[in-house]
Amino acid sequence: MMKLALGRLKVSLSNSKFIFTSLWRGIFSSLNRIILLVLCFAFFGCAPALVNIKIKTEVMHLGLKKLPLKVALIIPEEIENYVLQSKPSDESGPLHIFPLGESLQSISKKSYSQIVEELQIVRSLPKEDLFDFSIEPKIKKFEFGYKGVEFWTKVSLSIRIYDGTKVVWEDTVSSPEKRQATYSASGHFRDAYAATGSVVASAIKTAIRESASKILSLVEIQNMAKRAEDKIKRDSDFE
């Protein structure tokens, strides 16, 4: 009778050990899956379905001549509110959202205000005699993608200059291809999409600066500046 009881006890203990081992293996397997999932997101950058790109619009000193002119910067509301939603050029990765209109307006204002005495944003072509001339920038082409660990982009802008309601100059300015690695040289990971916004900002700033240089070289603009400078001199002589 004692042997039978001991046998049953061994079987019960063996079953309990099997159940405990199976339960522990299940927990351990689940923990492994969670850890692998966390590592995937932390180190391998499991991409979200949608990425909002932040574009920094601070502009450094351009080092260009400032003219004593009052100028209108034409940014219609549909341009200011323009948001591009697109995938990279190879159609891989998440959908990127770029606030290109706001960025164009901010960078244009901060850049062009360095080459004229007064700059005012308007929503449509102003009436004659309110401004010396008007500038109308528009995004003509925007490309972006990833090459290995680098993000790249190119921007083309259409620029129009108006004297009153008459177009006196029109041109397309393009940035060279801008690139930036999505991780540091030391191998540490960083926010790839922060690098994306930085490269886009750099491309727009480069194109706007080129257009500013071209505007300053226009004969029509130089003549306007000369007339304004002569008027300032005459007014000061009468004081």
Side-chain angles (χ1 to χ4, degrees):
M1 189 74 175
M2 181 66 72
K3 288 182 179 180
L4 181 60
L6 288 173
R8 287 176 178 174
L9 179 60
K10 287 181 181 179
V11 170
S12 178
L13 288 174
S14 177
N15 289 338
S16 297
K17 184 177 179 182
F18 174 78
I19 292 171
F20 178 78
T21 301
S22 298
L23 181 62
W24 174 250
R25 284 176 179 172
I27 293 172
F28 187 74
S29 177
S30 297
L31 284 173
N32 274 344
R33 291 193 187 98
I34 293 171
I35 291 170
L36 286 173
L37 186 62
V38 170
L39 287 175
C40 176
F41 277 98
F43 297 105
F44 298 104
C46 294
L50 196 67
V51 180
N52 285 291
I53 304 299
K54 295 180 180 179
I55 303 175
K56 294 183 178 180
T57 60
E58 293 80 4
V59 174
M60 301 293 288
H61 181 60
L62 300 182
L64 300 174
K65 181 181 179 180
K66 177 174 280 193
L67 305 178
L69 299 173
K70 182 180 180 181
V71 175
L73 176 61
I74 305 173
I75 306 285
E77 288 187 2
E78 61 269 22
I79 299 297
E80 180 191 14
N81 297 327
Y82 174 59
V83 175
L84 174 69
Q85 298 187 31
S86 177
K87 285 194 170 188
S89 59
D90 61 358
E91 295 297 324
S92 65
L95 188 69
H96 288 49
I97 299 179
F98 299 93
L100 292 183
E102 288 182 357
S103 303
L104 177 67
Q105 174 176 276
S106 181
I107 293 172
S108 295
K109 185 175 185 293
K110 292 172 183 175
S111 299
Y112 293 134
S113 62
Q114 294 188 38
I115 65 169
V116 295
E117 195 64 36
E118 184 179 346
L119 185 77
Q120 182 178 328
I121 293 177
V122 298
R123 298 308 180 190
S124 60
L125 189 63
K127 296 179 181 178
E128 291 190 39
D129 301 326
L130 292 178
F131 298 91
D132 293 300
F133 69 93
S134 304
I135 308 173
E136 185 179 31
K138 291 182 179 179
I139 294 174
K140 189 173 183 180
K141 191 175 183 180
F142 178 79
E143 303 171 90
F144 75 99
Y146 294 87
K147 293 180 180 178
V149 298
E150 289 186 317
F151 171 81
W152 67 269
T153 189
K154 291 178 68 176
V155 177
S156 293
L157 305 178
S158 168
I159 309 291
R160 278 186 177 179
I161 300 297
Y162 295 87
D163 181 359
T165 58
K166 177 185 175 184
V167 176
V168 295
W169 181 76
E170 184 174 7
D171 197 9
T172 297
V173 292
S174 302
S175 71
E177 184 175 288
K178 297 284 186 176
R179 294 188 181 192
Q180 186 173 320
T182 56
Y183 66 89
S184 66
S186 60
H188 296 296
F189 288 88
R190 67 186 182 197
D191 185 354
Y193 301 119
T196 299
S198 175
V199 177
V200 171
S202 177
I204 296 175
K205 291 172 189 176
T206 299
I208 290 292
R209 190 191 187 285
E210 181 182 345
S211 72
S213 296
K214 289 187 174 184
I215 291 169
L216 289 176
S217 68
L218 295 175
V219 173
E220 293 87 351
I221 303 303
Q222 291 177 1
N223 290 338
M224 290 179 191
K226 181 67 167 57
R227 289 193 295 269
E229 289 166 354
D230 290 343
K231 184 178 183 302
I232 292 171
K233 186 175 184 304
R234 286 196 305 271
D235 292 344
S236 64
D237 289 341
F238 282 112
E239 291 179 358

